[in-house]
Amino acid sequence: MSEDNDTTGKLANDGLPPLREVIATHGLSAQKKFGQNFLFDLNLTGRIARAAAPLEGSTVIEIGPGPGGLTRALLFHGAKNLTVIERDPRCQPVLEQISNHYPDALHVIDGDALEVDVTTLGPAPRKIVANLPYNVGTQLLLGWLMQIDQFASLTLMFQKEVAERVVAGPKSKAYGRLSVLCQYLCDCDILFDVHRSAFTPPPKVTSAVVQLRPKADRGTDINLKSLAKITQAAFGQRRKMLRASLKTLNINVGELLEKAGITETARAEELSVADFVRLTQVHDEMAAS
């Protein structure tokens, strides 16, 4: 699909008006309160859709479609059961136009994605593909991670700083709670960067598309809520040694670290994902005894 720079009234490759014309017709502008940055480049939205392929046969879910640039790409590249969640009422007429162009393929939910259990939106396999609003992207991802076995893949655009946190390794500045949770549960890759000029209005930062694919075998099965609690305590005071930062767990920290084979003077950023898994196992064994 070609870049949507046309404002002459010609149709785009999918048979719908160019996005810039749609925006002008409906008087839409990106609003900060919705965390919006509109994508006009159909080369880019097509690339994101292809990265999530195959789409046909899956329940595809998009968050914050806005005027529908990525929505159109997902439908054009094979999605037959696409549900989008949009809380901006100004975008509803545009999404309805797309829905009419792809009968029975697009379902629009008027609501807040933070309040929607996306696992109820259709049968497995489920794929989330989204240019996430910057202000709630990490919060949404953390919620989906707690239900990760309900998804086949997550193909998400974040500001690059968040994308780097997803894939970061120990002893790096970006390594943190999000890194541990994502990498324990999924195979994670940054697919490509997206320059700020691709958006309207341009954000102040570069973005990146990340793909998370749930691991079929995580090796050791642990309680995700416990892992989340331990990583939150450890990285919540990341400059402190673990013997201090883990005190909020209300457990004998010295015994916990000794049984897990981790030195008391270590800091959270020094531990591998496997170390945190072992900490979680020992923590739950101690809590149950």
Side-chain angles (χ1 to χ4, degrees):
M1 298 174 74
S2 60
E3 184 173 350
D4 185 4
N5 288 324
D6 186 11
T7 56
T8 64
K10 295 179 181 178
L11 295 179
N13 284 5
D14 61 2
L16 286 163
L19 280 169
R20 293 184 188 276
E21 180 181 313
V22 171
I23 297 291
T25 298
H26 293 273
L28 293 176
S29 60
Q31 292 195 2
K32 189 173 182 180
K33 69 177 181 179
F34 293 119
Q36 292 172 329
N37 297 92
F38 294 159
L39 278 173
F40 287 134
D41 186 344
L42 297 186
N43 282 324
L44 176 59
T45 55
R47 188 178 180 188
I48 296 170
R50 290 191 298 274
L55 299 172
E56 190 171 356
S58 295
T59 295
V60 184
I61 301 159
E62 182 190 359
I63 310 301
L70 180 56
T71 308
R72 288 167 56 168
L74 291 168
L75 292 163
F76 185 74
H77 286 281
K80 303 298 182 186
N81 181 17
L82 171 61
T83 297
V84 300
I85 305 171
E86 177 57 67
R87 61 190 290 255
D88 182 355
R90 302 174 306 146
C91 297
Q92 297 300 324
V94 180
L95 297 172
E96 183 178 348
Q97 181 182 21
I98 300 171
S99 180
N100 291 337
H101 190 71
Y102 290 93
D104 302 320
L106 176 61
H107 317 281
V108 181
I109 294 178
D110 178 9
D112 187 340
L114 289 170
E115 300 173 359
V116 177
D117 180 358
V118 295
T119 66
T120 66
L121 300 182
R126 302 179 190 89
K127 296 183 176 183
I128 299 181
V129 189
N131 167 26
L132 292 176
Y134 284 171
N135 54 353
V136 295
T138 302
Q139 187 178 354
L140 285 167
L141 175 55
L142 286 170
W144 297 331
L145 288 172
M146 295 300 106
Q147 309 176 81
I148 195 64
D149 292 332
Q150 298 294 318
F151 304 106
S153 65
L154 310 176
T155 305
L156 310 171
M157 188 188 300
F158 293 104
Q159 59 267 53
K160 190 174 181 179
E161 176 188 349
V162 175
E164 289 173 340
R165 285 164 53 198
V166 170
V167 302
K171 299 181 181 180
S172 66
K173 186 178 179 180
Y175 184 66
R177 182 186 186 217
L178 190 64
S179 317
V180 175
L181 292 170
C182 287
Q183 292 170 39
Y184 168 64
L185 294 167
C186 303
D187 294 315
C188 311
D189 295 290
I190 294 180
L191 302 184
F192 52 88
D193 292 347
V194 180
H195 193 268
R196 55 190 298 272
S197 62
F199 300 90
T200 299
K204 296 179 180 180
V205 296
T206 298
S207 300
V209 175
V210 181
Q211 190 165 72
L212 297 90
R213 298 170 306 283
K215 292 179 179 176
D217 182 6
R218 296 192 279 268
T220 303
D221 193 22
I222 57 173
N223 186 309
L224 293 183
K225 290 184 178 179
S226 295
L227 178 62
K229 182 173 70 172
I230 290 168
T231 51
Q232 184 173 31
F235 288 102
Q237 303 180 77
R238 64 184 298 146
R239 293 186 179 181
K240 291 189 176 182
M241 297 177 185
L242 290 171
R243 65 187 178 193
S245 61
L246 295 183
K247 283 183 178 179
T248 57
L249 297 176
N250 296 318
I251 200 167
N252 186 321
V253 177
E255 183 182 356
L256 170 63
L257 292 170
E258 182 180 2
K259 287 184 174 180
I262 296 169
T263 177
E264 290 188 6
T265 57
R267 291 177 171 82
E269 65 186 27
E270 298 171 357
L271 270 59
S272 67
V273 174
D275 290 332
F276 277 107
V277 170
R278 197 163 62 254
L279 264 180
T280 304
Q281 285 180 294
V282 175
H283 171 274
D284 286 358
E285 288 170 1
M286 289 176 61
S289 61

